[in-house]
Amino acid sequence: MSDGAAPPVTPGRGRRPSRATGDDRELAILATAERLLEERSLSAISVDDLARGAGISRPTFYFYFPSKDAVLLTLLDRVVAEADATMGAVFDSPAAGPREAWQRALAAYYDTFRTHRALTVAWAEARSTSGAVRTLWAEVFERWVQRCATSIEAERARGAAPAGPAARDLAIALTSMNERVIYASLSGDGPAVADEDVVPVLLRVWLTAVYGSPPD
Amino acid sequence: MSDGAAPPVTPGRGRRPSRATGDDRELAILATAERLLEERSLSAISVDDLARGAGISRPTFYFYFPSKDAVLLTLLDRVVAEADATMGAVFDSPAAGPREAWQRALAAYYDTFRTHRALTVAWAEARSTSGAVRTLWAEVFERWVQRCATSIEAERARGAAPAGPAARDLAIALTSMNERVIYASLSGDGPAVADEDVVPVLLRVWLTAVYGSPPD
DNA sequence: GAACGAGTCAACGGGGTGTCGAGATACGGG
DNA sequence: CCCGTATCTCGACACCCCGTTGACTCGTTC
């Protein structure tokens, strides 16, 4: 249990592996971050808070992570991996019809982020301060957009959906809506759609946008 | 030209009026903020930068504004006033048909924020750090949502639009999409819809969401 | 038991915020 | 003309946070 197996957590994101008791400390930092994020925003959490929460001093924190953002990034890697896995499973599994397919995809997307509420909110917040966080978000967004654009094009090709704006642009607009609506619902800031109405409303807009013809 | 007339700029937002040369300093600070925001993000601008840009020392800055956020808030008041005026004009003026009405509203909305690109981007950024900024945003969002929800309900009442999700929820979802798509387009972060395609794509989604029936 | 590497932290330097209190400056009235 | 008052200004301070350095403690290995 000391070494041997490949590191199970956070494969990428360039950080030196640490062995022996170091792993415990690292996990303690991550757990502290996740716990503190439940009660306050990322900007209200200092490196000192994370260090003390993990039972170490501030300089020692820097032995494990290069910055506060890196901790968030490591935490986000897990969520992203989970989201990608869920997304892949949903898109690849057969569905009774397009309506059900989109419905399942939306519900899975929402569920993933809802089960990591604090992290999702912190993600959105850190996007404006950390380039790495912004990049990670852009990657995830791009993957989702491409999947959706492909699906839209497929529906158009088989004559199920009418022509319209470039599939990619449509996918970007609709994915942006998802993101913002979900964030508002999770963060509680400002007007938001009620929790149980999020998926139905998003679904309705997606379906009409993809399959409906505009009036006139 | 010293005093006499009511203060033309920033009527609300609780700040003590100052007369004589003080007005100049205040305006210099605002101008500096607007200028610096064109080149870097708000968090990369220090109070010292604003003070030096306006030709005063840092403590003197605090004589005019209680914080950096307050400067942004004052700047935003102008944009909000402009947006509200434009929005009111668009909604009140008669249109050839619903399509044109929505098209004009969307275009006006987009134009307002595009002509204040730097400020809009800073607004979104500061939303996560300043409660006052967040509140201002929520107010603007809420006004827009209510206008749209009312219009959707009117269309449904006259039989032009089919029944569907609560008009307010639909308005929230679509307005969220507007906001996010516009922000992405203006900030240049991550995948975005090209400048000239923003309004057409948004319009298409709005029209199908409001007037189109879902498949199946 | 010496050498080494992992882990630890007090102390430092640098940058940011917001405040305080002492001075400058302008101006109207005695 | 001079004086009081309100406006304005800033040097210096206290505080918070970040990230680094260099010395120190351990456990392991040869």
Side-chain angles (χ1 to χ4, degrees):
Chain A
M1 63 189 70
S2 52
D3 53 353
V9 270
T10 71
R13 292 290 139 197
R15 253 200 4 283
R16 227 138 287 85
S18 57
R19 61 189 65 205
T21 97
D23 267 351
D24 299 338
R25 295 278 133 94
E26 191 169 327
L27 290 176
I29 292 172
L30 291 170
T32 303
E34 206 153 14
R35 180 168 51 79
L36 291 182
L37 278 176
E38 296 287 343
E39 50 193 50
R40 19 185 176 136
S41 84
L42 183 68
S43 57
I45 298 172
S46 69
V47 170
D48 202 64
D49 292 332
L50 295 179
R52 292 193 173 278
I56 57 179
S57 72
R58 208 165 53 76
T60 301
F61 167 92
Y62 287 102
F63 180 83
Y64 294 101
F65 292 94
S67 71
K68 199 169 65 174
D69 287 340
V71 176
L72 179 64
L73 228 35
T74 302
L75 249 19
L76 289 179
D77 274 347
R78 297 181 189 172
V79 178
V80 169
E82 186 182 324
D84 283 349
T86 310
M87 197 169 97
V90 166
F91 270 84
D92 293 343
S93 74
R99 180 191 190 93
E100 193 196 323
W102 288 112
Q103 204 272 341
R104 279 216 310 242
L106 281 170
Y109 194 68
Y110 182 46
D111 272 4
T112 300
F113 291 111
R114 191 176 42 174
T115 55
H116 301 280
R117 202 199 112 266
L119 224 40
T120 303
V121 173
W123 191 359
E125 182 192 339
R127 218 164 50 191
S128 56
T129 53
S130 159
V133 170
R134 193 158 46 238
T135 301
L136 176 62
W137 168 80
E139 287 168 14
V140 173
F141 188 92
E142 179 63 29
R143 278 200 290 274
W144 177 260
V145 164
Q146 275 176 16
R147 292 236 189 202
C148 293
T150 304
S151 292
I152 292 171
E153 270 158 6
E155 291 293 86
R156 284 180 179 172
R158 75 181 181 91
R168 179 178 166 81
D169 283 348
L170 199 54
I172 289 177
L174 293 170
T175 304
S176 297
M177 172 181 71
N178 284 2
E179 181 195 314
R180 188 76 196 114
V181 168
I182 289 175
Y183 172 81
S185 167
L186 295 180
S187 75
D189 288 342
V193 176
D195 196 73
E196 68 275 14
D197 295 328
V198 168
V199 171
V201 168
L202 293 181
L203 179 62
R204 166 73 177 230
V205 177
W206 273 81
L207 290 177
T208 53
V210 173
Y211 297 99
S213 298
D216 183 31
Chain B
M1 65 186 67
S2 52
D3 51 355
V9 270
T10 70
R13 290 291 137 195
R15 254 199 6 281
R16 228 137 288 85
S18 58
R19 60 190 65 205
T21 96
D23 268 351
D24 299 338
R25 296 277 132 96
E26 191 169 325
L27 291 177
I29 292 172
L30 291 170
T32 302
E34 206 153 15
R35 180 168 51 80
L36 291 182
L37 278 176
E38 296 287 343
E39 51 193 50
R40 16 183 178 138
S41 83
L42 183 68
S43 58
I45 299 172
S46 69
V47 170
D48 201 64
D49 292 332
L50 295 178
R52 292 193 173 278
I56 57 179
S57 72
R58 206 167 55 78
T60 301
F61 167 91
Y62 287 102
F63 180 82
Y64 293 102
F65 292 95
S67 71
K68 201 169 64 175
D69 287 340
V71 176
L72 178 65
L73 228 36
T74 303
L75 249 18
L76 288 178
D77 274 348
R78 297 181 188 172
V79 178
V80 169
E82 185 182 325
D84 283 349
T86 309
M87 196 169 98
V90 166
F91 270 84
D92 293 343
S93 75
R99 183 193 188 91
E100 193 196 323
W102 289 112
Q103 205 271 342
R104 280 216 308 243
L106 280 170
Y109 193 68
Y110 183 46
D111 272 4
T112 301
F113 291 110
R114 191 176 43 174
T115 56
H116 300 280
R117 201 199 113 267
L119 225 39
T120 302
V121 173
W123 192 358
E125 182 192 339
R127 218 164 50 191
S128 56
T129 53
S130 159
V133 169
R134 194 160 44 237
T135 301
L136 177 61
W137 168 79
E139 287 168 15
V140 173
F141 188 92
E142 179 63 30
R143 279 201 289 275
W144 177 259
V145 162
Q146 275 176 16
R147 291 236 189 203
C148 294
T150 304
S151 291
I152 292 171
E153 269 158 8
E155 291 293 86
R156 284 179 179 173
R158 74 181 182 90
R168 178 179 167 80
D169 283 348
L170 199 54
I172 289 177
L174 293 169
T175 303
S176 297
M177 171 181 70
N178 284 2
E179 181 196 313
R180 188 77 197 115
V181 167
I182 289 174
Y183 171 81
S185 167
L186 295 180
S187 74
D189 289 342
V193 175
D195 195 73
E196 67 274 16
D197 295 328
V198 168
V199 171
V201 169
L202 293 180
L203 179 62
R204 166 73 177 230
V205 177
W206 273 80
L207 290 178
T208 53
V210 173
Y211 296 100
S213 298
D216 183 31

